[in-house]
Amino acid sequence: MRVSVYRKEHFNAAHRLHSNSLNDLENKTVFGKCNNENFHGHNYELVVRVTGEVDPITGYVIDMKVLSDVIKEFILNKFDHRNLNLDTEEFKNLNPTAENIAVVVWDILSKQLDKKYTFKVWLYETERNFVEYPAAD
Ligand code: NI
């Protein structure tokens, strides 16, 4: 019996969207306000979905406390209240778009979660804009 469980977490971070492959005008055109060279912040909402078999003894797919602790230790401690461009190795050379953040978060969690699970992340950059990784069909 496979069931999906969801954990929602929150972090605040600053970023600047900028591509070295584009000139200044092109960067402004593509990224608009998000290209502001003095950075700006977002209140990110992160949803992690873990899918697996319900353990017959515990009745759990995964202990939510364990899932929460993994997200806190490996994602929130790294990104919360940071400048993603300046303070994190992951985005020194990678544009910190919601898309790229979601992929980085997934990659980090994939090293921490048991291989028996499949999982997916949703990252909300605003209430109206959010991304999903791995991609929907
Ligand atoms: Ni932004």
Side-chain angles (χ1 to χ4, degrees):
M1 186 171 62
R2 283 166 65 78
V3 172
S4 294
V5 300
Y6 295 73
R7 177 75 192 179
K8 191 182 200 179
E9 296 286 353
H10 177 85
F11 63 96
N12 303 309
H15 74 169
R16 180 196 187 198
L17 300 184
H18 182 88
S19 170
N20 290 329
S21 305
L22 302 174
N23 67 32
D24 285 352
L25 181 61
E26 290 168 331
N27 268 296
K28 273 211 166 51
T29 305
V30 172
F31 299 118
K33 285 182 182 169
C34 281
N35 185 238
N36 171 30
E37 63 185 319
N38 291 326
F39 307 98
H40 63 277
H42 289 283
N43 297 316
Y44 290 99
E45 295 282 353
L46 173 67
V47 176
V48 178
R49 181 183 78 191
V50 177
T51 302
E53 290 290 328
V54 175
D55 184 288
I57 295 167
T58 63
Y60 287 165
V61 170
I62 185 172
D63 185 331
M64 291 301 247
K65 177 79 171 74
V66 170
L67 177 59
S68 164
D69 286 348
V70 165
I71 298 169
K72 285 201 177 88
E73 181 174 353
F74 295 96
I75 306 297
L76 305 191
N77 284 353
K78 190 184 269 285
F79 298 139
D80 190 32
H81 286 77
R82 299 294 155 82
N83 180 310
L84 297 177
N85 304 74
L86 301 181
D87 298 335
T88 72
E89 281 305 313
E90 287 80 359
F91 298 106
K92 280 211 159 51
N93 297 304
L94 179 66
N95 204 17
T97 59
E99 290 87 334
N100 282 333
I101 298 169
V103 173
V104 163
V105 165
W106 192 94
D107 285 342
I108 292 170
L109 292 178
S110 74
K111 296 186 181 80
Q112 303 302 326
L113 294 175
D114 195 307
K115 298 290 177 236
K116 70 184 180 183
Y117 299 121
T118 55
F119 72 99
K120 194 160 194 164
V121 302
W122 287 263
L123 184 76
Y124 288 73
E125 193 170 72
T126 69
E127 281 183 22
R128 294 169 188 273
N129 294 340
F130 63 99
V131 303
E132 176 180 4
Y133 183 76
D137 298 332

